Amino acid sequence: MSEVRLHVTDMDNFFSDAATAAAAIDGGEEGGGASAIGFESMDLLLKVLTPNRWRLLRALKGDGASSIRKLSATLGRDYRGVHADVTALLAAGLIEKESGGLVHVPWDKITVEMAFSEAA
């Protein structure tokens, strides 16, 4: 099962985690753990993961790879709004575009870590 963990991190921790992962790979270890996507702040994480985008992720995961037009029809939403959401989720690394232009969710599980200290 492929999993991604979303969390808030500062740049120092981000680079420290990346260096640790690179050293493990260089040492021959397989990266069997969850992938991680870090956000600079809880506000940014919540700005990227709006309720409409969560619904989009669920629909896309349930139906499989789709065009933006088909996805907008499935969601009953305006094409431009769905296109903007797809663009934001592509930039965040939560969905991917296939060579034929269809988009899909590469993750079986998305875990979001929300610390009270970061939410305040």
Side-chain angles (χ1 to χ4, degrees):
M1 172 172 25
S2 60
E3 178 181 356
V4 64
R5 180 177 63 92
L6 310 180
H7 62 104
V8 175
T9 187
D10 61 28
M11 291 304 276
D12 291 337
N13 285 330
F14 171 82
F15 285 116
S16 175
D17 291 346
T20 300
I25 292 169
D26 287 345
E29 295 179 34
E30 294 207 18
S35 297
I37 298 174
F39 292 84
E40 293 177 5
S41 69
M42 186 58 62
D43 289 341
L44 180 57
L45 189 153
L46 293 173
K47 183 177 179 181
V48 170
L49 296 173
T50 65
N52 273 344
R53 291 177 185 163
W54 274 117
R55 283 189 284 278
L56 187 153
L57 287 167
R58 283 195 309 267
L60 197 52
K61 187 62 182 176
D63 294 345
S66 177
S67 68
I68 296 174
R69 188 163 310 286
K70 182 179 176 201
L71 191 54
S72 65
T74 298
L75 295 168
R77 292 184 48 210
D78 168 85
Y79 176 88
R80 283 195 283 171
V82 173
H83 184 277
D85 287 344
V86 164
T87 300
L89 293 170
L90 282 166
L94 291 170
I95 62 176
E96 294 177 350
K97 187 177 274 193
E98 298 178 356
S99 60
L102 301 180
V103 292
H104 72 279
V105 177
W107 314 106
D108 295 316
K109 182 177 181 180
I110 297 173
T111 302
V112 180
E113 291 182 4
M114 300 177 102
F116 285 114
S117 60
E118 297 296 334

